[in-house]
Amino acid sequence: MRVPLSWLREYVDLPAEATGREVADLLVRAGLEVEAVHGSGVGLIGPLVVGHVLEIEELTGFKKAIRFCQVQVGPALEDTRGIICGAQNFGTGDKVVVALPGAVLPGEFKITARSTYGHVSDGMICSARELGLGDDHSGIIVLPDECEVGADAIELLGIRDEVLDIAVTPDRGYCLSMRGIAREAAIAYGVSLRDPALLDTPAPTSTGYPVRLGDPLGCDLFVARAVRGIDPLSPSPLWMQRRIQLAGMRPISLIVDITNYVMLEIGQPLHAYAADKLTGPITVRRAQPGEILETLDGSHRKLDLEDLVIADASGPIGLAGVMGGAATEVQPTTTDVLIEGAHFDPVAIARAARRHKLPSEASRRFERGVDPNAAAAAVQRTVDLLVLLGQGEADTALTIESTRPAQPMPIAIDAELPGRVAGLEYTRETVVGRLQEIGCAVEGRDDLLITPPSWRPDLTDPNDLAEEVIRLEGYDRVPSAMPTVPPGRGLTVKQRARRRVGRSLADAGYVEVLCYPFVGQKDFDQLGLDADDPRRTTLRLLNPISDEQPELRTTLLPGLLATLRRNIGRGFPDAALFETGLVFRPRPGAPAPPRLPTDSRPSDAQLAALAAALPDQPERAAVVLAGQREPDGWWGPGRPAGWADAIEAARTVAKACGVELEIAQHQHAPWHPGRCAKLTVDGRLVGHAGELHPKVLTAMGLPPRVCAMELDLGALMPEQDVPVQGPAVSTFPVATQDVALVVDKAVPAAEVHTALENGAGALLESLRLFDVYEGERIGEGKKSLAFSLRFRAADRTLTVEEATAARDSAVALAAERTGAVLRGA
C-alpha cells in the first residue's frame, strides 16, 4: 500500500514538521512494515507555472511537426513568451504547465532560453513524464480552464510529496486503505481520526435495483445504487488523478477513477456497471457448468463451479470480488451507472483469483477481509463524488441485501492476559484504552467482554487481543529474557549419525542441496515408474504452490535431478549433489486428520488420532552425479562419473552409520537394468544405486551416463553410538598375494569378493579388486577378476608358505561358492 503523506494529513492532524521518515518510524513501532519512503518531485526546482496558450504557429520544413506557441505565463499579457513544442494534443486557449528558464526538471534537466527551429524558445511546455508524474509522454499536460494563469504549478499539481510504501501482512487487510493507515497513525500520535467512512447513508428502499443473494455464504451483503445523467466528458480533477498516481494506480476515466479513489480511501472495493447494459435482476451465485465470462482484460475465462459470479438475466457479468465483465463495462459515452459495494467470502475470492491467475486490487483486499459496515458508506461516497464531479443525479432508491448477523460474537478475555503474555505489567486502564483505540467495544471489570470492530476480522480469540495491546504499547518494551533450561546431553545418537553422513558425503566431493518436497505425476512419468509403482501413491496438498507439483514427494530423485539439470544448464556440467530429507508415504486406509483446538492443549486421544492420520515419513539420502568425477589436467585425462561412484556413495553413507552394505545386481526404475545395484543390510533392502536409464535422462533433459543413489537413511541409523575403533598397527611386514579368477559374466564381483574374504582367514588385512578383463583369451561368457590380498600377522613375520596357504584357502572357497577357476590353471 502506497500512502501519500499529504493525503494522510487529510484524516489525521500530524505535526506540521513531521516528515515521512518520522511517520514511518512510528508506524514500524506499531507493527507495520514500512519498506521505503519515496520522495515525489525530488530534484524539481521552479519556476513552474500555469500558462495560457494564446497563439500557435505551425512550422514547416522539418522532419516532424513543430509548433511555435505564444504562452501567457503571468497575470498580464506582457508576460507572454514564445516556446517551441512538438506536442499536438493542445490548442489555442488551453491551460498548460510551463517550466521557465532557471527551472530544473527531474534528472537535472536545466531549462534555459535557447535558439531552435529558427526561433528563441523561452521555456518548456511540460508532459507528465518530464515532471516525474508518470510514464505518459504522448502529450503535454492540459489543465482545467479554472486554473489561474501564472499560478505555481508545483503546488497546484501536488508534485512535491512523500509516499510511504507499506507491505501489508495478510492479517492487516484494513491497512490497504487510507482509512486503516490513518487509524494507525492517529493512535501512534495520540490524536483523533477523521474517519472517511462516517457518512450519513439513506435507508434502503424496496424500489432499488433488484438483487438476490443466491449464495449467502459466498456473499452476505450487497449494496447497489444508481447514478444517472453523468457528463461523459467530465475529467477527473487533478488532485484525484495525482493521489491515484501516488498510490500506485493509473487514472483512466472519471467513473473508474472515483471507484478506485474510494477503494483506496475507505478500503471497500467497488464496481460500476453500465446501467443500460444490465438485463434483469442481479444475482450473486456460483458458476454453472459450461459458463464462460469475458473479463475486462479481454480474456474469455471458463468458469469453475466454485467461482462466485455476479449475474443478470444474460448470464455472468463479473467474477465476484476479482474483476468485472466486458459486457457491462463502463464506456467513454456511459451516462448511467449502477454502483456495487459488496462483502464476499475471503476464501472464495482468494481461490478464484489464484485459479484464474487474475490478481487484482479488489481481490487483494477481499481475500484479506474488508469492513462490511463500510460498504454502504463507500457507495454513498462514490455517489456523492459522481454527482459533484460528473454532474450526475443520484437515484433516491437504494438496495441493501444482507444476511449478516446484527452483531459479531464477543470475546472474553482476562484483563491481565496481555501482561502475562508480554512479561510486563499492563494496568486494566491501559488494556481497555488500547482495545478501544483500535475500535473494540469493551464491557466488564476484570473479566472483559470484547466486541471487535467490523474492520478487524482477524481478531478472533483472546491472544489476538493481547497481541494488539502489546503491539500498541510497543514491542520494544517487551523484555528479552532467555529461559532457564537444564543442561542438555548434546546431540542424540541419530543426530550425530545424520551429521556424520553429511560430512562424509561432503568429504567425498558432494555438494548438499535442499529441494522443495513437491512433485507431480509428470515427474513420475519422466522417471519411468509403472502405473502400480507404490511411489506413485502420494499425498495431495489442498493449496499447492504450483498446480504442476501438487503432491508431496515419495522419492528424493525428482528434486535432485531437477537441480542437477539447472546446474548443468548454467554451465556446471561436472556436478555431484546430495540431499538428506523426508519422503511421504500415505498409509492405506488412514483416517482423516482431526481438527485440533486452538484454545487448549489437544487431548491424548486427539493427538493419537492425528498421528494415525499422518503419512509415514522415512528419512532418505540420495546422490546424483554427472560429468567428470576426476577432472582433466596436466597429470592426464580425467575420469567420468560412473555407476561404481554411486555405489561407493552408498557405502560412504553406510560406513558413517556403522553398517556394512551388501551389493547385488538388480532391476529397478529409474535405473538402467544392467547397471543397477540393490543395497541390502542383513538381507533387508535399503536402497538402489547405479546409472539411470537413458530414456529417463532424455525425458528429463539430462546428459547421458548420469548416475544416482537413494537409500533409506532411517533403516541405517544406529540405535546407539558406534564406538570409533582405531586400526591395529603391526610392526611386522605385509605379505601380498595377487590372484586372478575366471568366473561367468553373470557372477557378481561382490560374491567373489565375499568368498575370498571369508576363506582367507584371520591373517587377511585387506582385499581389493584391481582389474576386470573380458576377452577371447578367457573364453566367451567369462570374465577375469584380479584381486590383491594383503596378509599380516600381529606377532610375527609371515612365511611364504603361510601366505600362500591363506591365499589357496580363499581361492578354494571362492571356487566352491562361485565356480571360480584360477586364470592360467
Side-chain angles (χ1 to χ4, degrees):
M1 177 70 187
R2 294 172 62 90
V3 180
L5 198 61
S6 61
W7 196 357
L8 185 64
R9 291 181 184 275
E10 190 170 306
Y11 313 113
V12 183
D13 291 326
L14 301 177
E17 68 280 1
T19 64
R21 176 53 59 192
E22 292 170 351
V23 176
D25 290 342
L26 282 178
L27 292 178
V28 168
R29 188 175 182 272
L32 298 182
E33 298 181 16
V34 182
E35 293 188 331
V37 178
H38 303 287
S40 173
V42 176
L44 178 63
I45 301 175
L48 196 71
V49 299
V50 176
H52 183 208
V53 180
L54 302 177
E55 183 182 340
I56 298 177
E57 177 187 353
E58 302 289 346
L59 304 182
T60 58
F62 302 102
K63 293 182 180 180
K64 61 180 182 179
I66 298 296
R67 314 168 94 185
F68 184 58
C69 309
Q70 298 296 323
V71 184
Q72 179 184 347
V73 295
L77 284 175
E78 290 77 10
D79 299 324
T80 300
R81 302 186 182 221
I83 300 175
I84 293 291
C85 184
Q88 303 292 312
N89 67 315
F90 67 99
T92 302
D94 282 341
K95 302 287 181 66
V96 295
V97 178
V98 178
L100 298 178
V104 180
L105 301 186
E108 297 186 0
F109 184 73
K110 298 180 180 180
I111 304 300
T112 60
R114 59 192 180 93
S115 297
T116 181
Y117 297 104
H119 295 272
V120 175
S121 182
D122 198 14
M124 177 178 176
I125 303 176
C126 301
S127 69
R129 191 171 73 179
E130 289 162 343
L131 297 178
L133 300 180
D135 295 328
D136 186 11
H137 197 55
S138 59
I140 55 90
I141 299 174
V142 178
L143 301 173
D145 290 339
E146 60 267 19
C147 292
E148 181 182 351
V149 177
D152 184 358
I154 295 178
E155 181 178 353
L156 177 68
L157 297 176
I159 296 177
R160 288 203 181 101
D161 206 343
E162 291 183 281
V163 180
L164 310 183
D165 194 349
I166 301 175
V168 179
T169 53
D171 61 330
R172 295 287 172 86
Y174 69 98
C175 286
L176 287 172
S177 67
M178 295 301 303
R179 180 193 184 202
I181 299 298
R183 175 172 283 105
E184 292 294 330
I187 295 173
Y189 277 98
V191 297
S192 59
L193 167 71
R194 292 183 287 275
D195 192 343
L198 291 180
L199 299 175
D200 292 331
T201 57
T205 63
S206 59
T207 57
Y209 199 93
V211 174
R212 186 177 71 87
L213 303 183
D215 189 334
L217 295 179
C219 176
D220 54 17
L221 174 67
F222 197 102
V223 181
R225 191 174 181 186
V227 180
R228 306 184 187 279
I230 300 171
D231 181 2
L233 300 179
S234 296
S236 300
L238 290 177
W239 59 266
M240 179 177 288
Q241 293 186 43
R242 182 60 178 153
R243 286 182 172 180
I244 291 174
Q245 287 174 337
L246 290 176
M249 300 181 70
R250 180 171 57 90
I252 298 175
S253 65
L254 177 65
I255 297 173
V256 176
D257 289 350
I258 287 177
T259 57
N260 286 336
Y261 179 83
V262 175
M263 177 187 69
L264 293 170
E265 181 181 49
I266 296 179
Q268 169 68 49
L270 301 158
H271 188 69
Y273 300 94
D276 59 329
K277 297 182 180 180
L278 292 172
T279 57
I282 287 179
T283 303
V284 186
R285 59 172 174 82
R286 299 286 175 170
Q288 298 173 357
E291 286 188 322
I292 295 177
L293 171 67
E294 181 183 1
T295 47
L296 291 175
D297 59 356
S299 299
H300 291 77
R301 304 182 184 276
K302 184 177 180 181
L303 298 178
D304 188 272
L305 297 182
E306 291 188 6
D307 288 337
L308 193 65
V309 298
I310 312 296
D312 63 3
S314 65
I317 58 173
L319 190 58
V322 180
M323 185 174 285
T328 57
E329 181 181 5
V330 171
Q331 302 293 335
T333 57
T334 299
T335 59
D336 300 341
V337 296
L338 181 72
I339 306 300
E340 166 214 301
H343 184 260
F344 300 113
D345 174 44
V347 175
I349 302 306
R351 288 180 176 174
R354 285 158 178 75
R355 187 181 300 119
H356 294 281
K357 296 181 174 61
L358 191 60
S360 64
E361 291 290 339
S363 66
R364 187 175 172 224
R365 287 163 173 80
F366 276 124
E367 67 188 21
R368 286 166 169 79
V370 301
D371 182 3
N373 292 352
V379 170
Q380 181 63 42
R381 174 73 164 145
T382 304
V383 169
D384 291 343
L385 289 172
L386 286 172
V387 171
L388 176 66
L389 303 176
Q391 293 78 53
E393 181 178 351
D395 272 9
T396 56
L398 172 66
T399 300
I400 299 182
E401 289 292 326
S402 175
T403 59
R404 290 187 58 80
Q407 288 292 335
M409 291 295 294
I411 303 171
I413 178 177
D414 183 351
E416 297 180 353
L417 176 62
R420 290 200 301 270
V421 172
L424 294 170
E425 289 189 11
Y426 296 132
T427 64
R428 178 191 178 278
E429 290 71 21
T430 298
V431 173
V432 171
R434 288 303 190 183
L435 293 177
Q436 289 175 337
E437 284 179 341
I438 64 173
C440 293
V442 182
E443 300 177 13
R445 182 63 191 170
D446 293 326
D447 294 327
L448 305 178
L449 203 60
I450 310 298
T451 303
S454 56
W455 57 84
R456 293 298 302 271
D458 58 301
L459 303 181
T460 59
D461 61 60
N463 286 322
D464 293 334
L465 300 175
E467 180 185 357
E468 288 299 296
V469 174
I470 299 168
R471 174 179 73 87
L472 296 177
E473 282 295 302
Y475 288 127
D476 54 343
R477 292 186 54 198
V478 178
S480 297
M482 295 297 292
T484 302
V485 295
R489 297 182 178 179
L491 300 176
T492 64
V493 172
K494 291 187 177 181
Q495 286 173 332
R496 284 193 289 271
R498 194 176 296 115
R499 293 193 179 191
R500 283 198 303 272
V501 168
R503 284 196 298 267
S504 299
L505 288 173
D507 291 343
Y510 292 87
V511 177
E512 185 173 15
V513 296
L514 297 175
C515 305
Y516 284 116
F518 309 122
V519 295
Q521 289 299 317
K522 181 181 177 181
D523 296 314
F524 299 135
D525 295 338
Q526 291 177 336
L527 291 179
L529 304 188
D530 294 334
D532 58 349
D533 193 297
R535 287 171 289 180
R536 282 186 177 270
T537 304
T538 60
L539 199 66
R540 190 176 183 87
L541 300 170
L542 289 176
N543 190 21
I545 295 177
S546 169
D547 292 336
E548 296 180 354
Q549 293 182 316
E551 301 157 63
L552 289 175
R553 66 188 179 190
T554 54
T555 168
L556 300 181
L557 291 182
L560 266 177
L561 291 172
T563 304
L564 178 66
R565 180 178 63 242
R566 190 176 304 114
N567 278 270
I568 293 174
R570 294 181 181 178
F572 298 97
D574 305 329
L577 311 177
F578 83 93
E579 181 182 14
T580 59
L582 302 179
V583 297
F584 306 87
R585 298 289 180 90
R587 298 174 182 172
R595 193 175 186 88
L596 301 181
T598 58
D599 57 350
S600 61
R601 184 187 184 279
S603 65
D604 292 340
Q606 289 173 320
L607 292 176
L610 179 63
L614 293 176
D616 290 328
Q617 300 176 54
E619 187 173 10
R620 303 183 76 85
V623 305
V624 293
L625 304 98
Q628 296 286 92
R629 187 68 176 123
E630 296 176 2
D632 299 329
W634 58 266
W635 51 83
R639 180 180 66 83
W643 56 266
D645 294 299
I647 295 175
E648 186 59 31
R651 286 196 174 103
T652 299
V653 173
K655 183 178 180 181
C657 294
V659 297
E660 188 74 24
L661 283 180
E662 300 159 4
I663 313 295
Q665 190 174 3
H666 196 56
Q667 293 187 15
H668 186 70
W671 281 273
H672 190 296
R675 297 168 186 158
C676 173
K678 69 175 179 179
L679 314 173
T680 58
V681 175
D682 297 331
R684 180 163 52 101
L685 181 67
V686 295
H688 294 84
E691 183 181 311
L692 294 179
H693 198 290
K695 291 183 178 179
V696 172
L697 300 179
T698 301
M700 301 196 73
L702 290 167
R705 304 291 188 182
V706 171
C707 301
M709 176 277 293
E710 183 175 17
L711 51 74
D712 187 349
L713 188 58
L716 305 181
M717 289 289 185
E719 294 298 328
Q720 58 185 7
D721 273 331
V722 179
V724 178
Q725 301 233 348
V729 178
S730 173
T731 59
F732 296 95
V734 66
T736 302
Q737 296 272 357
D738 292 343
V739 60
L741 302 177
V742 178
V743 296
D744 292 337
K745 279 188 178 180
V747 176
E751 289 187 16
V752 180
H753 185 284
T754 302
L756 290 172
E757 191 174 38
N758 293 341
L763 295 177
L764 181 66
E765 182 179 79
S766 67
L767 174 64
R768 180 175 63 90
L769 174 68
F770 66 87
D771 185 55
V772 178
Y773 172 75
E774 297 178 12
E776 297 178 357
R777 287 184 292 177
I778 58 173
E780 186 177 355
K782 300 290 185 178
K783 63 182 177 181
S784 172
L785 305 177
F787 293 90
S788 177
L789 296 84
R790 290 166 56 91
F791 299 99
R792 195 193 308 257
D795 57 350
R796 68 188 187 280
T797 299
L798 293 178
T799 64
V800 174
E801 291 75 16
E802 287 177 312
T804 301
R807 182 202 65 182
D808 293 343
S809 176
V811 171
L813 187 59
E816 178 184 339
R817 290 186 181 179
T818 66
V821 177
L822 270 175
R823 185 175 174 182

